[in-house]
Each structure stands twice: as C-alpha cells, then as structure tokens.
Amino acid sequence: MHRMTGWLMLVVCALSMSLSDAAYGVELKWWSHWATQDTKKIVLNEAKRRFEAKNPGNTVTITYYEKKNMWPTLRATFTAGSGFPDVFYYDIDVDEFIPTGWLADLTEGIRWENIEPYGKAFWTRPGPGGKMGTWAIPVEASSDEIYFNKKLFKQLGINVPANYAFTQDEFKEVVGKCAKAGYAAFATGAADREWAALYVPTAFLLSKLGLDDLKKLSQGEISWKDPRIVEVMKYYREIIDLGAYAKTLTSMTLADAHRYFHTEQKACMFPVGSWYTGRAFVAPEKGGQPKDFELGMLNYTQMKDGKGHREKFTSIGGSYGVAPKSPNLPLALELLNSFADVDVGNLWMAQTGIQTGIRTDPAKIDSPIKWYFEEFGKVNKGTKWVDLTAQDMKLVMKPGVWEVWVATVGQGLPNKLIGVDEALAKLEEARLRGK
C-alpha cells in the first residue's frame, strides 16, 4: 500500500511538472524588421513587456533584421519545416506567404474590436485552398508622401502653393530649379527596394486617372497606350531628363536615400511612405534627421485635366503574423494580442508619428513630435484617401504586369535605359498576355 501510494505521488508530481513546463518556461522567438528604427522598438518592447507580465515564466526574444535579409531566411526555415520563429514581421512584399500556408489564421483569438476595421479587412483574404482568413495584425499603416526640404526650397526661390499641390507645369519648374542648382529633385535609392522609384509615376497616374481608372489600368481593362497614359509617361520622362534622380539611384539603398535627403541634403524632395518618420525621428547619430532640419510635405502634382486631384494613397504596412506550426501557438497568439490595445496604438503614434491599424484615442496621445502631426493635418486637410499605395499595386496588377512595370518604369525609365514608347509597348504586351 505504501509502495502504491508512493508510486501515485510520483505520477502526480511528474504530471504536475509536465503541465508546468507547458505553461511556464517557454521562450517565444520573434523576428522583426526595423533593426535601425528605435522608436518602433519602443512599441515592440512594450508589447513584449505586457505579454511577459500577463504570462509569468514565459519570455520573448526579439531578433531584428532588415527585412530584405529576413525574407530568404524565413522562406528557407518554412520550407525546411524547422528553425522558424513563433511570431514574425510580415508585409505585402511577400504576399505569397499567405496562399503557401506560412501564416496562421488569426480570425479567432485576437481582440479585433481594438483594431481598425480597414486594418483587419486588409489582411482578410483567401489563404490555402482559397479559404478566407485574417492572416496578420496591422501595426503600421502609411500613406505615400512627398517630403521636401524647406530650407532648400527657400534658397531656390520655390514657393509652395496654398493647397500644397503644384500644377503639372509648376512641378516641372521645381524639378528644373533643383537640378540646375546641383541637387537631385528626388532622394530615391532603388538598390534594395524594387518599388522605390515607383512613387512619383504612380502618383502622376492617380492624379490623372483617379482611383477607379488606375485600378482598371492595373487589371488590364485599360490599354497602356491610352492617350492619358502616354501623356503622363512622356511628362515623367521629361522631368527625368531634367535631372529628377541622382546618378546614384541604382546603387543607393533606402537607408542611404534617407541620409541623402536629410543629412547630406543633396535632394530637394523625398517621395516615400509616411513611415519615413520611423527612420528620421531617431537620434542623428543613429541615422535620424538633424535637429535643425526643416521638413515639409506636399500633395501630389495636379496633372492636367486629372480626375484624381487631391487623392492620395494610403494602406497597411508593417504587420505581424504567427507561424501556423509553432509549438507555442496559443502563446504566440497572446503575444500578438498585446498589440490589440488602444494604449499601444497611442504609444505607436506618439513615438513614431506613423499611422497605425490599431485603434487610437487622439485626445490621449502625448508626443514630442506634435509639430509633425500638425503639419500632416494641415497639408492633408482636403485629402481624399484611397486604399492603395505604390507598393500595393503589386496586389492589384494583372499577372505578369508588375514585373514589367518594375523593369520599365521603376528601372528603365529613371535610368534612361528605355524610351517611353518602348516601355509602354512592353507593358501593353504584358497586359494582353496576362491571364
């Protein structure tokens, strides 16, 4: 009897230890982009802190990457079936991850009431086998902006219109003045981002066509030889020939482009996502803009007889997903849930100055960059936001067209390797060939 009692006690102890191991002592692995963006790290660390406080005994280890280096590693680990993190950064650069089955469905288990509906809707799409799901939590939202150096504009005698939007002819003069004075018009670096040189031509097309016809063009319902498209592309080539881009366009990375704009001040303008602030609003010694840098914002150029005047691109950016085969799936979901809180949304806005897919309470946002919020609100007072960005064009374009769009308009034209007629002929061929 005593032996039986002792044996039962050992079994109970073993079971208790097993259950304890399942609930405590787990180290969640989290891979994230934004290796150089300290303001965003503050928010991520807050989510980590909240999770660890709510789940004592469990820890989170964040490993930071530049995403261009993270994607191949993620692909390799998911393909191998081992070595992948529990939680990872995700965005549309690798939209194929969803149908491939490399993200867990987050439809259940996330406090979606604390997420903006458009943020949830963005990541609700067909997954493996066409089954609908919601595949990521939208932390970052952004708009495609055109920032400018106020000091340079003053030096060059460039006066910004009251509505912050130059006409087509005025903008050509701006580009010419910058180039004549020895500055690039745009601080664009395309060495590590295939879409970097697509902000300007895509904004021109939106201004000329409006959102509806831009989508029709992307989906193959409008010819690339439509007179409106030809007009826009010829104008775009004209400003390229004036000196719109730096000679270092193809060798300059995105990080280089930031420094080129605000530290070296070799360009008048910087067309880029509003996530610019994530890199720029850190200490100068860590790559941020100088304390005395005078940052301004513009609206898109108003193309002649355009249907999209005042329209501006906006969408979801950096998000987070969970590996579906994570051995710690419930805890990984709970870690993501740490983001689903209005206070975290407020913290994101206060620290980064970037829009978010998390619900916020603007009245409670206390930030050292309130001047930026005021500038943003002033410039965009009459903006008509449209749910698309230069990067997102990849998602709406007819199969096979995106690759040609990048090769011709994102690379060939700005590097003066191809003419407008040839570029449009290649795009038209892709439109007719695509299924």
Side-chain angles (χ1 to χ4, degrees):
M1 183 66 180
H2 288 296
R3 288 182 179 178
M4 181 64 70
T5 301
W7 178 80
L8 284 171
M9 289 180 68
L10 285 172
V11 170
V12 169
C13 287
L15 284 171
S16 297
M17 289 176 66
S18 177
L19 289 171
S20 177
D21 286 344
Y24 298 94
V26 171
E27 179 192 10
L28 289 180
K29 295 179 180 178
W30 180 0
W31 291 5
S32 184
H33 178 39
W34 302 330
T36 62
Q37 300 181 52
D38 290 353
T39 56
K40 294 178 181 178
K41 289 180 181 180
I42 291 171
V43 183
L44 270 57
N45 285 332
E46 174 62 13
K48 165 181 154 67
R49 185 196 67 77
R50 286 172 175 242
F51 169 82
E52 291 177 344
K54 189 176 179 181
N55 298 274
N58 300 305
T59 59
V60 177
T61 298
I62 307 176
T63 301
Y64 287 101
Y65 291 82
E66 284 297 320
K67 65 178 179 178
K68 67 183 180 68
N69 300 322
M70 186 177 70
W71 300 140
T73 308
L74 276 173
R75 286 192 184 95
T77 56
F78 281 133
T79 300
S82 63
F84 48 80
D86 301 285
V87 171
F88 58 95
Y89 172 94
Y90 184 69
D91 68 29
I92 60 136
D93 282 3
V94 286
D95 58 309
E96 74 276 10
F97 279 27
I98 293 175
T100 305
W102 290 346
L103 288 109
D105 186 357
L106 306 181
T107 302
E108 305 294 334
I110 298 296
R111 295 189 296 274
W112 291 112
E113 67 273 14
N114 289 333
I115 302 297
E116 294 288 357
Y118 67 83
K120 180 183 180 184
F122 184 84
W123 288 123
T124 301
R125 56 187 68 197
K131 182 181 178 183
M132 292 296 292
T134 305
W135 308 100
I137 191 164
V139 176
E140 179 186 56
S142 66
S143 50
D144 288 359
E145 300 292 343
I146 301 176
Y147 295 100
F148 73 95
N149 184 327
K150 288 184 176 181
K151 183 179 178 181
L152 278 186
F153 267 37
K154 290 174 187 175
Q155 288 178 358
L156 299 177
I158 299 171
N159 297 313
V160 176
N163 64 354
Y164 300 94
F166 290 103
T167 65
Q168 186 171 328
D169 291 337
E170 289 170 342
F171 194 69
K172 185 176 178 180
E173 289 181 12
V174 170
V175 171
K177 282 186 176 182
C178 292
K180 189 175 181 180
Y183 300 99
F186 310 130
T188 299
D192 61 346
R193 300 291 193 278
E194 64 179 357
W195 36 259
L198 292 172
Y199 283 107
V200 173
T202 311
F204 285 167
L205 285 173
L206 177 65
S207 178
K208 184 70 172 181
L209 303 177
L211 179 64
D212 290 344
D213 277 2
L214 178 60
K215 284 187 173 181
K216 288 178 182 178
L217 174 67
S218 303
Q219 294 160 358
E221 297 173 31
I222 292 177
S223 170
W224 287 93
K225 294 187 177 182
D226 182 295
R228 297 171 297 170
I229 315 304
V230 175
E231 180 187 334
V232 168
M233 288 303 162
K234 285 186 174 180
Y235 172 76
Y236 180 47
R237 181 57 192 259
E238 287 175 6
I239 68 168
I240 290 171
D241 289 342
L242 284 174
Y245 292 103
K247 293 180 180 179
T248 53
L249 171 66
T250 56
S251 61
M252 194 158 56
T253 66
L254 179 63
D256 294 334
H258 279 257
R259 291 188 291 271
Y260 191 85
F261 174 60
H262 59 57
T263 301
E264 298 173 22
Q265 300 190 33
K266 292 182 177 180
C268 290
M269 295 170 282
F270 192 9
V272 72
S274 59
W275 36 258
Y276 165 85
T277 60
R279 291 176 181 265
F281 292 176
V282 299
E285 61 269 21
K286 292 188 175 182
Q289 65 182 35
K291 297 295 184 182
D292 60 350
F293 184 73
E294 298 179 35
L295 181 69
M297 304 176 71
L298 296 172
N299 287 316
Y300 300 164
T301 303
Q302 295 187 340
M303 304 301 287
K304 293 176 182 176
D305 302 318
K307 293 168 59 179
H309 292 181
R310 301 299 294 179
E311 290 186 351
K312 186 176 281 190
F313 293 122
T314 186
S315 189
I316 294 300
S319 303
Y320 286 95
V322 170
K325 293 184 180 180
S326 164
N328 309 302
L329 195 58
L331 286 174
L333 289 171
E334 190 56 36
L335 174 56
L336 284 197
N337 243 335
S338 300
F339 282 108
D341 189 291
V342 172
D343 288 342
V344 174
N346 289 347
L347 179 65
W348 173 272
M349 287 290 294
Q351 291 294 328
T352 70
I354 308 170
Q355 304 98 306
T356 179
I358 306 169
R359 287 191 184 275
T360 61
D361 183 351
K364 296 182 179 179
I365 297 175
D366 184 21
S367 174
I369 54 173
K370 283 186 176 180
W371 65 268
Y372 177 78
F373 297 146
E374 292 171 0
E375 183 81 3
F376 188 95
K378 182 174 62 176
V379 173
N380 289 297
K381 186 176 182 180
T383 293
K384 302 172 185 175
W385 297 105
V386 300
D387 189 15
L388 192 67
T389 64
Q391 288 178 254
D392 289 352
M393 291 284 284
K394 181 179 182 180
L395 300 180
V396 299
M397 278 188 163
K398 194 173 183 180
V401 176
W402 171 258
E403 292 76 12
V404 180
W405 172 244
V406 170
T408 57
V409 179
Q411 298 170 353
L413 281 177
N415 287 296
K416 304 180 185 180
L417 301 175
I418 191 173
V420 171
D421 291 342
E422 185 181 355
L424 293 177
K426 289 179 179 295
L427 284 162
E428 181 65 5
E429 181 184 353
R431 178 183 80 90
L432 296 174
R433 186 176 61 244
K435 296 180 181 180

